[in-house]
Amino acid sequence: MVDVSITSLIESFEDLLPKETSYAIADPDHFIYYKPSKIIDLKIRPGDKINENTVTYQALAVQRKMSQKVSSQVFGVPYFGTSVPILDEGNPK
């Protein structure tokens, strides 16, 4: 197995995705990492429980990539989110 830090992984994505992208990484229940964009800060903290109204929650529930608009009622600002679950034999990692 390859040992890659979250920081190095995010740095790789920053070269591929728009500069206004925020990054959140979660285990099946809680956020474990968050890097806001310069435009939107959802104020996620490591350890925060995954809200049922987030794209992350939905992607974990259906076990596939999800993209959708999320209202400001969830994090205080509206945003468009995409979440891709990492699965190991059908189980979220």
Side-chain angles (χ1 to χ4, degrees), residues 19-22 36-41:
K19 299 293 182 209
E20 57 275 351
T21 302
S22 297
S37 74
K38 293 180 181 178
I39 299 171
I40 294 178
D41 185 355

Side-chain angles (χ1 to χ4, degrees), residues 2-84:
V2 177
D3 185 21
V4 178
S5 74
I6 291 175
T7 303
S8 65
L9 185 63
I10 296 302
E11 288 172 357
S12 297
F13 286 131
E14 287 178 328
D15 291 336
L16 300 171
L17 298 171
K19 299 293 182 209
E20 57 275 351
T21 302
S22 297
Y23 301 89
I25 298 176
D27 65 19
D29 301 306
H30 300 88
F31 288 101
I32 59 173
Y33 175 89
Y34 178 67
K35 181 176 182 182
S37 74
K38 293 180 181 178
I39 299 171
I40 294 178
D41 185 355
L42 302 178
K43 309 271 192 247
I44 295 171
R45 304 274 183 245
D48 286 355
K49 187 168 176 60
I50 299 171
N51 184 310
E52 293 180 5
N53 297 312
T54 63
V55 180
T56 301
Y57 185 92
Q58 298 300 320
L60 288 167
V62 299
Q63 297 187 351
R64 66 179 173 84
K65 177 182 172 183
M66 297 285 298
S67 296
Q68 66 187 44
K69 290 181 182 179
V70 179
S71 80
S72 61
Q73 294 176 328
V74 178
F75 288 115
V77 293
Y79 70 98
F80 182 85
T82 296
S83 184
V84 181

